[in-house]
Amino acid sequence: MGTALLSFDGTTVGFNVGDAWSVAAAAASAMFILRLETATAKVSDSSALNAACLWTVAGATLVWSLVDGLVTKLSTPSIASSLLEYTAANIIQVGMSHPVAIVYLGGVTTALANYIQTRAQKNVTAERASLIYAMDPVYGAVFANLLLGETLGPLGIGGAGLITVAAATNAFLDLGSKEGKEEGRDSGRKEETVVDVDG
């Protein structure tokens, strides 16, 4: 609810392709958080797990780039170079045009952020991690205001408030500690054992 109010606060009208991609990214992020909880329980080395994730992303991105290049070549017959040459030239051109942005996005917001998340989710449940990540739109709105001068309408401010209250409530009530979750599982196992012995 909070994210919906923050996204559609009356200052923007309609639903566009960017909104659809944002919803898809949120769904993919939620699945990553859930799968990461299972993976961190099985893999003790956070660095190795993070490296495996990043190599998977790199491979998938290469496939995406090749498919995009193929679509472009098919729709533009005048391109004479091969698919690999065309894709490599595009990657190099983007890298040369935006080196600082690529290093920052690849190194800080991807590799470092994923490594920190991988380390943290050894001690935090997927539920709590998802609530922390639910604050992303609020952080985005704050930085958009500070860096770009963008402002929120009343609905957007209300949505940001709802998200913040939900995250703070979870933190203060300790609804997502991994220890509490494991204690709950252990007590359930003990009860099952007692029932089996009595039976």
Short mmCIF file of all heavy atoms in Angstrom, two decimals, residues 119-193:
data_model
loop_
_atom_site.label_atom_id
_atom_site.label_comp_id
_atom_site.label_asym_id
_atom_site.label_seq_id
_atom_site.Cartn_x
_atom_site.Cartn_y
_atom_site.Cartn_z
N ARG A 119 26.20 -11.60 3.50
CA ARG A 119 26.69 -11.73 4.87
C ARG A 119 25.56 -11.53 5.88
O ARG A 119 25.44 -12.28 6.85
CB ARG A 119 27.79 -10.68 5.14
CG ARG A 119 29.10 -10.89 4.42
CD ARG A 119 29.89 -12.06 4.99
NE ARG A 119 30.18 -11.95 6.39
CZ ARG A 119 31.32 -11.52 6.90
NH1 ARG A 119 32.30 -11.16 6.10
NH2 ARG A 119 31.51 -11.48 8.20
N ALA A 120 24.73 -10.52 5.64
CA ALA A 120 23.67 -10.18 6.61
C ALA A 120 22.60 -11.25 6.70
O ALA A 120 22.10 -11.53 7.79
CB ALA A 120 23.05 -8.84 6.23
N GLN A 121 22.25 -11.88 5.59
CA GLN A 121 21.15 -12.84 5.62
C GLN A 121 21.51 -14.16 6.28
O GLN A 121 20.67 -15.04 6.40
CB GLN A 121 20.57 -13.05 4.21
CG GLN A 121 19.53 -11.98 3.90
CD GLN A 121 18.56 -12.38 2.82
OE1 GLN A 121 18.56 -11.77 1.76
NE2 GLN A 121 17.75 -13.38 3.06
N LYS A 122 22.74 -14.28 6.76
CA LYS A 122 23.07 -15.43 7.59
C LYS A 122 22.40 -15.28 8.96
O LYS A 122 22.14 -16.25 9.65
CB LYS A 122 24.58 -15.54 7.78
CG LYS A 122 25.31 -16.06 6.56
CD LYS A 122 26.78 -16.26 6.85
CE LYS A 122 27.48 -16.91 5.68
NZ LYS A 122 27.02 -18.26 5.40
N ASN A 123 22.13 -14.02 9.36
CA ASN A 123 21.57 -13.74 10.69
C ASN A 123 20.19 -13.09 10.65
O ASN A 123 19.63 -12.78 11.69
CB ASN A 123 22.52 -12.81 11.46
CG ASN A 123 23.92 -13.40 11.55
OD1 ASN A 123 24.09 -14.53 11.94
ND2 ASN A 123 24.91 -12.63 11.15
N VAL A 124 19.68 -12.84 9.47
CA VAL A 124 18.40 -12.14 9.32
C VAL A 124 17.48 -12.99 8.43
O VAL A 124 17.92 -13.53 7.43
CB VAL A 124 18.61 -10.75 8.67
CG1 VAL A 124 17.29 -10.05 8.42
CG2 VAL A 124 19.50 -9.88 9.55
N THR A 125 16.23 -13.09 8.82
CA THR A 125 15.29 -13.87 8.02
C THR A 125 14.95 -13.14 6.73
O THR A 125 15.13 -11.93 6.60
CB THR A 125 13.98 -14.11 8.79
OG1 THR A 125 13.37 -12.85 9.05
CG2 THR A 125 14.22 -14.85 10.09
N ALA A 126 14.42 -13.89 5.78
CA ALA A 126 14.00 -13.29 4.51
C ALA A 126 12.89 -12.28 4.74
O ALA A 126 12.81 -11.26 4.04
CB ALA A 126 13.52 -14.39 3.56
N GLU A 127 12.03 -12.53 5.74
CA GLU A 127 10.93 -11.61 6.02
C GLU A 127 11.45 -10.23 6.42
O GLU A 127 11.00 -9.21 5.93
CB GLU A 127 10.02 -12.16 7.14
CG GLU A 127 9.22 -13.37 6.73
CD GLU A 127 9.99 -14.68 6.93
OE1 GLU A 127 11.19 -14.64 7.29
OE2 GLU A 127 9.38 -15.75 6.72
N ARG A 128 12.44 -10.23 7.36
CA ARG A 128 12.98 -8.94 7.78
C ARG A 128 13.77 -8.29 6.66
O ARG A 128 13.68 -7.08 6.46
CB ARG A 128 13.87 -9.10 9.01
CG ARG A 128 14.60 -7.79 9.34
CD ARG A 128 15.26 -7.80 10.67
NE ARG A 128 14.26 -7.61 11.70
CZ ARG A 128 14.57 -7.48 12.98
NH1 ARG A 128 15.81 -7.55 13.37
NH2 ARG A 128 13.63 -7.29 13.88
N ALA A 129 14.56 -9.06 5.93
CA ALA A 129 15.33 -8.50 4.82
C ALA A 129 14.40 -7.85 3.79
O ALA A 129 14.69 -6.77 3.28
CB ALA A 129 16.17 -9.59 4.15
N SER A 130 13.27 -8.49 3.52
CA SER A 130 12.34 -7.92 2.54
C SER A 130 11.75 -6.61 3.04
O SER A 130 11.52 -5.68 2.26
CB SER A 130 11.23 -8.91 2.20
OG SER A 130 10.43 -9.18 3.33
N LEU A 131 11.51 -6.51 4.36
CA LEU A 131 10.99 -5.25 4.90
C LEU A 131 12.04 -4.15 4.82
O LEU A 131 11.72 -2.98 4.54
CB LEU A 131 10.55 -5.43 6.36
CG LEU A 131 9.09 -5.78 6.54
CD1 LEU A 131 8.77 -6.03 8.01
CD2 LEU A 131 8.19 -4.68 6.01
N ILE A 132 13.30 -4.50 5.08
CA ILE A 132 14.38 -3.51 4.96
C ILE A 132 14.47 -3.03 3.52
O ILE A 132 14.57 -1.83 3.25
CB ILE A 132 15.72 -4.11 5.43
CG1 ILE A 132 15.66 -4.37 6.94
CG2 ILE A 132 16.88 -3.19 5.08
CD1 ILE A 132 16.80 -5.20 7.49
N TYR A 133 14.39 -3.97 2.57
CA TYR A 133 14.45 -3.60 1.16
C TYR A 133 13.20 -2.85 0.71
O TYR A 133 13.23 -2.12 -0.28
CB TYR A 133 14.70 -4.82 0.28
CG TYR A 133 16.17 -5.13 0.17
CD1 TYR A 133 16.77 -6.04 1.03
CD2 TYR A 133 16.96 -4.49 -0.77
CE1 TYR A 133 18.14 -6.30 0.95
CE2 TYR A 133 18.32 -4.74 -0.86
CZ TYR A 133 18.89 -5.65 0.01
OH TYR A 133 20.23 -5.89 -0.08
N ALA A 134 12.12 -3.01 1.45
CA ALA A 134 10.91 -2.26 1.12
C ALA A 134 11.12 -0.76 1.33
O ALA A 134 10.37 0.06 0.81
CB ALA A 134 9.73 -2.74 1.97
N MET A 135 12.18 -0.41 2.08
CA MET A 135 12.50 1.00 2.28
C MET A 135 13.16 1.62 1.05
O MET A 135 13.35 2.85 1.00
CB MET A 135 13.43 1.15 3.50
CG MET A 135 12.77 0.91 4.84
SD MET A 135 11.63 2.23 5.30
CE MET A 135 12.77 3.58 5.55
N ASP A 136 13.52 0.82 0.06
CA ASP A 136 14.17 1.34 -1.15
C ASP A 136 13.46 2.54 -1.76
O ASP A 136 14.10 3.53 -2.11
CB ASP A 136 14.32 0.24 -2.21
CG ASP A 136 15.62 -0.55 -2.04
OD1 ASP A 136 16.41 -0.20 -1.15
OD2 ASP A 136 15.83 -1.50 -2.80
N PRO A 137 12.12 2.48 -1.93
CA PRO A 137 11.46 3.64 -2.53
C PRO A 137 11.59 4.91 -1.68
O PRO A 137 11.67 6.01 -2.22
CB PRO A 137 9.97 3.21 -2.61
CG PRO A 137 9.99 1.74 -2.51
CD PRO A 137 11.19 1.37 -1.70
N VAL A 138 11.66 4.72 -0.36
CA VAL A 138 11.82 5.88 0.53
C VAL A 138 13.21 6.48 0.35
O VAL A 138 13.37 7.69 0.22
CB VAL A 138 11.56 5.49 2.00
CG1 VAL A 138 11.76 6.69 2.92
CG2 VAL A 138 10.16 4.92 2.16
N TYR A 139 14.24 5.60 0.35
CA TYR A 139 15.60 6.10 0.11
C TYR A 139 15.67 6.81 -1.24
O TYR A 139 16.29 7.87 -1.36
CB TYR A 139 16.62 4.95 0.10
CG TYR A 139 16.63 4.07 1.31
CD1 TYR A 139 16.88 2.70 1.18
CD2 TYR A 139 16.40 4.57 2.58
CE1 TYR A 139 16.90 1.87 2.30
CE2 TYR A 139 16.42 3.74 3.69
CZ TYR A 139 16.67 2.40 3.54
OH TYR A 139 16.68 1.57 4.62
N GLY A 140 15.05 6.19 -2.25
CA GLY A 140 15.06 6.79 -3.58
C GLY A 140 14.42 8.17 -3.60
O GLY A 140 14.94 9.11 -4.22
N ALA A 141 13.29 8.31 -2.88
CA ALA A 141 12.60 9.60 -2.83
C ALA A 141 13.44 10.65 -2.11
O ALA A 141 13.52 11.81 -2.53
CB ALA A 141 11.25 9.44 -2.13
N VAL A 142 14.11 10.24 -1.03
CA VAL A 142 14.95 11.17 -0.27
C VAL A 142 16.12 11.66 -1.13
O VAL A 142 16.39 12.86 -1.23
CB VAL A 142 15.48 10.51 1.03
CG1 VAL A 142 16.57 11.36 1.68
CG2 VAL A 142 14.34 10.29 2.01
N PHE A 143 16.81 10.71 -1.80
CA PHE A 143 17.95 11.11 -2.62
C PHE A 143 17.50 11.88 -3.86
O PHE A 143 18.22 12.77 -4.32
CB PHE A 143 18.78 9.88 -3.02
CG PHE A 143 19.66 9.40 -1.90
CD1 PHE A 143 19.42 8.17 -1.30
CD2 PHE A 143 20.71 10.17 -1.44
CE1 PHE A 143 20.22 7.73 -0.26
CE2 PHE A 143 21.52 9.74 -0.40
CZ PHE A 143 21.27 8.51 0.20
N ALA A 144 16.33 11.56 -4.40
CA ALA A 144 15.81 12.33 -5.54
C ALA A 144 15.54 13.78 -5.13
O ALA A 144 15.76 14.70 -5.91
CB ALA A 144 14.53 11.69 -6.07
N ASN A 145 15.09 13.95 -3.89
CA ASN A 145 14.87 15.30 -3.38
C ASN A 145 16.19 16.03 -3.17
O ASN A 145 16.35 17.19 -3.58
CB ASN A 145 14.07 15.25 -2.08
CG ASN A 145 13.86 16.63 -1.48
OD1 ASN A 145 14.60 17.03 -0.60
ND2 ASN A 145 12.87 17.34 -1.99
N LEU A 146 17.16 15.35 -2.53
CA LEU A 146 18.43 15.99 -2.21
C LEU A 146 19.27 16.28 -3.45
O LEU A 146 19.88 17.35 -3.56
CB LEU A 146 19.23 15.10 -1.26
CG LEU A 146 18.65 14.90 0.15
CD1 LEU A 146 19.48 13.90 0.94
CD2 LEU A 146 18.57 16.23 0.89
N LEU A 147 19.30 15.35 -4.40
CA LEU A 147 20.19 15.48 -5.55
C LEU A 147 19.54 16.11 -6.77
O LEU A 147 20.21 16.78 -7.56
CB LEU A 147 20.76 14.11 -5.93
CG LEU A 147 21.57 13.39 -4.84
CD1 LEU A 147 21.98 12.01 -5.30
CD2 LEU A 147 22.78 14.21 -4.44
N LEU A 148 18.23 15.87 -6.93
CA LEU A 148 17.56 16.34 -8.15
C LEU A 148 16.49 17.40 -7.89
O LEU A 148 15.91 17.94 -8.83
CB LEU A 148 16.92 15.15 -8.88
CG LEU A 148 17.86 14.00 -9.25
CD1 LEU A 148 17.07 12.83 -9.82
CD2 LEU A 148 18.92 14.48 -10.23
N GLY A 149 16.20 17.64 -6.62
CA GLY A 149 15.18 18.64 -6.29
C GLY A 149 13.76 18.18 -6.51
O GLY A 149 12.84 18.99 -6.53
N GLU A 150 13.53 16.86 -6.69
CA GLU A 150 12.18 16.34 -6.89
C GLU A 150 11.43 16.35 -5.56
O GLU A 150 12.01 16.20 -4.49
CB GLU A 150 12.24 14.93 -7.45
CG GLU A 150 12.84 14.85 -8.84
CD GLU A 150 12.86 13.44 -9.40
OE1 GLU A 150 12.30 12.53 -8.75
OE2 GLU A 150 13.42 13.25 -10.49
N THR A 151 10.11 16.51 -5.64
CA THR A 151 9.29 16.55 -4.42
C THR A 151 8.14 15.55 -4.52
O THR A 151 7.74 15.15 -5.62
CB THR A 151 8.69 17.95 -4.20
OG1 THR A 151 7.93 18.33 -5.36
CG2 THR A 151 9.79 18.98 -3.96
N LEU A 152 7.62 15.16 -3.37
CA LEU A 152 6.49 14.23 -3.30
C LEU A 152 5.22 15.01 -2.99
O LEU A 152 5.25 16.01 -2.27
CB LEU A 152 6.71 13.20 -2.19
CG LEU A 152 7.80 12.17 -2.41
CD1 LEU A 152 7.96 11.32 -1.15
CD2 LEU A 152 7.49 11.27 -3.60
N GLY A 153 4.10 14.47 -3.51
CA GLY A 153 2.81 15.02 -3.15
C GLY A 153 2.35 14.43 -1.82
O GLY A 153 3.04 13.60 -1.22
N PRO A 154 1.17 14.83 -1.34
CA PRO A 154 0.66 14.33 -0.05
C PRO A 154 0.53 12.81 0.00
O PRO A 154 0.86 12.19 1.02
CB PRO A 154 -0.71 14.99 0.07
CG PRO A 154 -0.68 16.16 -0.84
CD PRO A 154 0.27 15.82 -1.94
N LEU A 155 0.06 12.20 -1.08
CA LEU A 155 -0.07 10.74 -1.10
C LEU A 155 1.30 10.06 -1.02
O LEU A 155 1.47 9.05 -0.34
CB LEU A 155 -0.81 10.27 -2.35
CG LEU A 155 -2.30 10.62 -2.44
CD1 LEU A 155 -2.87 10.13 -3.76
CD2 LEU A 155 -3.06 10.03 -1.27
N GLY A 156 2.28 10.62 -1.73
CA GLY A 156 3.63 10.07 -1.70
C GLY A 156 4.24 10.15 -0.30
O GLY A 156 4.88 9.20 0.16
N ILE A 157 4.03 11.27 0.37
CA ILE A 157 4.54 11.42 1.74
C ILE A 157 3.85 10.42 2.66
O ILE A 157 4.49 9.78 3.51
CB ILE A 157 4.34 12.87 2.23
CG1 ILE A 157 5.25 13.80 1.42
CG2 ILE A 157 4.63 12.98 3.72
CD1 ILE A 157 4.99 15.27 1.63
N GLY A 158 2.54 10.24 2.48
CA GLY A 158 1.81 9.24 3.28
C GLY A 158 2.32 7.83 3.03
O GLY A 158 2.49 7.04 3.96
N GLY A 159 2.59 7.51 1.76
CA GLY A 159 3.13 6.19 1.41
C GLY A 159 4.49 5.96 2.03
O GLY A 159 4.77 4.89 2.57
N ALA A 160 5.36 6.99 1.95
CA ALA A 160 6.69 6.88 2.57
C ALA A 160 6.57 6.67 4.07
O ALA A 160 7.31 5.87 4.67
CB ALA A 160 7.52 8.13 2.27
N GLY A 161 5.59 7.34 4.68
CA GLY A 161 5.35 7.17 6.12
C GLY A 161 4.91 5.76 6.47
O GLY A 161 5.38 5.16 7.44
N LEU A 162 3.99 5.20 5.66
CA LEU A 162 3.52 3.83 5.90
C LEU A 162 4.66 2.81 5.81
O LEU A 162 4.77 1.91 6.64
CB LEU A 162 2.42 3.46 4.89
CG LEU A 162 1.02 4.01 5.14
CD1 LEU A 162 0.11 3.66 3.96
CD2 LEU A 162 0.45 3.46 6.43
N ILE A 163 5.50 2.97 4.79
CA ILE A 163 6.63 2.05 4.62
C ILE A 163 7.58 2.14 5.81
O ILE A 163 8.02 1.13 6.36
CB ILE A 163 7.38 2.36 3.30
CG1 ILE A 163 6.50 2.05 2.10
CG2 ILE A 163 8.68 1.57 3.22
CD1 ILE A 163 7.04 2.57 0.79
N THR A 164 7.88 3.36 6.23
CA THR A 164 8.80 3.57 7.35
C THR A 164 8.24 2.99 8.64
O THR A 164 8.96 2.33 9.40
CB THR A 164 9.09 5.07 7.52
OG1 THR A 164 9.59 5.60 6.28
CG2 THR A 164 10.11 5.32 8.62
N VAL A 165 6.94 3.21 8.90
CA VAL A 165 6.31 2.67 10.11
C VAL A 165 6.34 1.14 10.09
O VAL A 165 6.62 0.50 11.11
CB VAL A 165 4.86 3.19 10.25
CG1 VAL A 165 4.09 2.41 11.30
CG2 VAL A 165 4.87 4.67 10.59
N ALA A 166 6.07 0.53 8.93
CA ALA A 166 6.08 -0.94 8.83
C ALA A 166 7.48 -1.49 9.12
O ALA A 166 7.63 -2.45 9.88
CB ALA A 166 5.63 -1.37 7.44
N ALA A 167 8.51 -0.86 8.55
CA ALA A 167 9.88 -1.33 8.77
C ALA A 167 10.30 -1.12 10.22
O ALA A 167 10.92 -1.99 10.84
CB ALA A 167 10.84 -0.61 7.83
N ALA A 168 9.95 0.04 10.80
CA ALA A 168 10.32 0.33 12.18
C ALA A 168 9.60 -0.61 13.15
O ALA A 168 10.20 -1.09 14.11
CB ALA A 168 10.00 1.79 12.51
N THR A 169 8.33 -0.89 12.89
CA THR A 169 7.57 -1.80 13.76
C THR A 169 8.20 -3.18 13.76
O THR A 169 8.36 -3.80 14.81
CB THR A 169 6.11 -1.90 13.27
OG1 THR A 169 5.53 -0.59 13.29
CG2 THR A 169 5.30 -2.82 14.16
N ASN A 170 8.58 -3.65 12.60
CA ASN A 170 9.22 -4.96 12.50
C ASN A 170 10.53 -4.99 13.28
O ASN A 170 10.84 -5.95 13.97
CB ASN A 170 9.48 -5.32 11.03
CG ASN A 170 10.15 -6.67 10.89
OD1 ASN A 170 11.37 -6.74 10.85
ND2 ASN A 170 9.37 -7.72 10.83
N ALA A 171 11.31 -3.89 13.17
CA ALA A 171 12.60 -3.84 13.87
C ALA A 171 12.41 -3.80 15.38
O ALA A 171 13.08 -4.52 16.12
CB ALA A 171 13.38 -2.62 13.40
N PHE A 172 11.48 -2.98 15.86
CA PHE A 172 11.29 -2.84 17.30
C PHE A 172 10.65 -4.07 17.93
O PHE A 172 10.95 -4.42 19.06
CB PHE A 172 10.45 -1.60 17.61
CG PHE A 172 11.19 -0.32 17.38
CD1 PHE A 172 10.66 0.69 16.59
CD2 PHE A 172 12.44 -0.11 17.95
CE1 PHE A 172 11.34 1.87 16.38
CE2 PHE A 172 13.13 1.07 17.74
CZ PHE A 172 12.58 2.07 16.96
N LEU A 173 9.75 -4.72 17.21
CA LEU A 173 9.08 -5.91 17.76
C LEU A 173 9.90 -7.18 17.54
O LEU A 173 9.51 -8.24 18.00
CB LEU A 173 7.69 -6.07 17.14
CG LEU A 173 6.69 -4.96 17.47
CD1 LEU A 173 5.36 -5.23 16.80
CD2 LEU A 173 6.51 -4.83 18.98
N ASP A 174 11.04 -7.04 16.80
CA ASP A 174 11.92 -8.18 16.54
C ASP A 174 11.16 -9.35 15.92
O ASP A 174 11.27 -10.48 16.36
CB ASP A 174 12.61 -8.62 17.83
CG ASP A 174 13.86 -9.44 17.53
OD1 ASP A 174 14.45 -9.23 16.46
OD2 ASP A 174 14.22 -10.28 18.37
N LEU A 175 10.37 -9.03 14.87
CA LEU A 175 9.56 -10.06 14.22
C LEU A 175 10.36 -10.93 13.27
O LEU A 175 9.86 -11.97 12.83
CB LEU A 175 8.41 -9.39 13.44
CG LEU A 175 7.44 -8.57 14.28
CD1 LEU A 175 6.43 -7.89 13.36
CD2 LEU A 175 6.74 -9.42 15.31
N GLY A 176 11.59 -10.52 12.96
CA GLY A 176 12.29 -11.25 11.91
C GLY A 176 13.65 -11.76 12.29
O GLY A 176 14.50 -11.93 11.43
N SER A 177 13.93 -12.01 13.57
CA SER A 177 15.25 -12.52 13.92
C SER A 177 15.35 -13.99 13.56
O SER A 177 14.41 -14.74 13.76
CB SER A 177 15.54 -12.32 15.41
OG SER A 177 14.71 -13.15 16.18
N LYS A 178 16.49 -14.39 13.06
CA LYS A 178 16.69 -15.77 12.65
C LYS A 178 16.67 -16.69 13.88
O LYS A 178 16.20 -17.81 13.82
CB LYS A 178 18.01 -15.90 11.91
CG LYS A 178 18.00 -16.99 10.88
CD LYS A 178 18.89 -16.64 9.72
CE LYS A 178 18.33 -17.22 8.45
NZ LYS A 178 19.06 -16.86 7.28
N GLU A 179 17.20 -16.18 15.01
CA GLU A 179 17.24 -16.97 16.23
C GLU A 179 15.82 -17.32 16.67
O GLU A 179 15.52 -18.45 17.02
CB GLU A 179 17.95 -16.22 17.36
CG GLU A 179 19.44 -16.05 17.13
CD GLU A 179 19.78 -14.89 16.20
OE1 GLU A 179 18.86 -14.13 15.84
OE2 GLU A 179 20.95 -14.78 15.80
N GLY A 180 14.92 -16.32 16.63
CA GLY A 180 13.53 -16.56 17.03
C GLY A 180 12.86 -17.57 16.13
O GLY A 180 12.10 -18.42 16.57
N LYS A 181 13.15 -17.48 14.83
CA LYS A 181 12.56 -18.41 13.88
C LYS A 181 13.05 -19.84 14.14
O LYS A 181 12.28 -20.79 14.12
CB LYS A 181 12.93 -17.97 12.46
CG LYS A 181 12.12 -18.61 11.37
CD LYS A 181 12.46 -17.95 10.05
CE LYS A 181 11.59 -18.50 8.93
NZ LYS A 181 11.91 -17.89 7.65
N GLU A 182 14.38 -19.97 14.41
CA GLU A 182 14.94 -21.29 14.67
C GLU A 182 14.45 -21.85 16.00
O GLU A 182 14.18 -23.04 16.11
CB GLU A 182 16.48 -21.20 14.66
CG GLU A 182 17.01 -21.03 13.25
CD GLU A 182 18.49 -20.68 13.22
OE1 GLU A 182 19.09 -20.57 14.31
OE2 GLU A 182 19.03 -20.51 12.11
N GLU A 183 14.27 -20.96 17.02
CA GLU A 183 13.74 -21.43 18.30
C GLU A 183 12.32 -21.96 18.12
O GLU A 183 11.93 -22.96 18.70
CB GLU A 183 13.74 -20.28 19.31
CG GLU A 183 15.12 -19.99 19.87
CD GLU A 183 15.13 -18.72 20.71
OE1 GLU A 183 14.03 -18.22 21.05
OE2 GLU A 183 16.22 -18.23 21.03
N GLY A 184 11.53 -21.27 17.28
CA GLY A 184 10.17 -21.72 17.01
C GLY A 184 10.16 -23.09 16.35
O GLY A 184 9.36 -23.95 16.69
N ARG A 185 11.09 -23.31 15.41
CA ARG A 185 11.18 -24.62 14.75
C ARG A 185 11.58 -25.69 15.75
O ARG A 185 11.04 -26.79 15.75
CB ARG A 185 12.21 -24.57 13.62
CG ARG A 185 11.74 -23.83 12.39
CD ARG A 185 12.80 -23.91 11.32
NE ARG A 185 12.49 -23.02 10.24
CZ ARG A 185 13.38 -22.37 9.52
NH1 ARG A 185 14.66 -22.51 9.76
NH2 ARG A 185 13.02 -21.57 8.53
N ASP A 186 12.59 -25.37 16.63
CA ASP A 186 13.07 -26.34 17.61
C ASP A 186 11.97 -26.73 18.59
O ASP A 186 11.81 -27.90 18.92
CB ASP A 186 14.27 -25.77 18.38
CG ASP A 186 15.51 -25.66 17.50
OD1 ASP A 186 15.52 -26.32 16.44
OD2 ASP A 186 16.43 -24.92 17.86
N SER A 187 11.19 -25.72 19.06
CA SER A 187 10.12 -26.05 20.01
C SER A 187 9.05 -26.90 19.34
O SER A 187 8.48 -27.80 19.94
CB SER A 187 9.50 -24.76 20.57
OG SER A 187 8.85 -24.03 19.55
N GLY A 188 8.80 -26.65 18.04
CA GLY A 188 7.84 -27.47 17.30
C GLY A 188 8.32 -28.91 17.19
O GLY A 188 7.55 -29.85 17.34
N ARG A 189 9.65 -29.07 16.96
CA ARG A 189 10.21 -30.42 16.88
C ARG A 189 10.10 -31.14 18.21
O ARG A 189 9.81 -32.32 18.28
CB ARG A 189 11.68 -30.35 16.45
CG ARG A 189 11.86 -29.98 14.99
CD ARG A 189 13.31 -30.15 14.58
NE ARG A 189 13.53 -29.49 13.31
CZ ARG A 189 14.29 -28.42 13.13
NH1 ARG A 189 14.92 -27.88 14.14
NH2 ARG A 189 14.44 -27.89 11.94
N LYS A 190 10.34 -30.41 19.33
CA LYS A 190 10.26 -31.01 20.66
C LYS A 190 8.84 -31.49 20.95
O LYS A 190 8.63 -32.57 21.48
CB LYS A 190 10.70 -30.01 21.73
CG LYS A 190 12.20 -29.77 21.74
CD LYS A 190 12.56 -28.70 22.74
CE LYS A 190 14.05 -28.36 22.64
NZ LYS A 190 14.40 -27.20 23.47
N GLU A 191 7.86 -30.66 20.58
CA GLU A 191 6.46 -31.05 20.79
C GLU A 191 6.12 -32.29 20.00
O GLU A 191 5.45 -33.20 20.49
CB GLU A 191 5.53 -29.90 20.40
CG GLU A 191 5.57 -28.75 21.38
CD GLU A 191 4.75 -27.55 20.90
OE1 GLU A 191 4.04 -27.72 19.89
OE2 GLU A 191 4.83 -26.49 21.51
N GLU A 192 6.62 -32.38 18.74
CA GLU A 192 6.36 -33.56 17.93
C GLU A 192 6.99 -34.80 18.57
O GLU A 192 6.39 -35.87 18.58
CB GLU A 192 6.95 -33.36 16.52
CG GLU A 192 6.15 -32.38 15.68
CD GLU A 192 6.84 -32.10 14.36
OE1 GLU A 192 7.83 -32.80 14.04
OE2 GLU A 192 6.40 -31.19 13.64
N THR A 193 8.19 -34.63 19.14
CA THR A 193 8.87 -35.76 19.77
C THR A 193 8.09 -36.26 20.97
O THR A 193 7.90 -37.44 21.17
CB THR A 193 10.28 -35.33 20.22
OG1 THR A 193 10.99 -34.82 19.10
CG2 THR A 193 11.04 -36.50 20.83
#
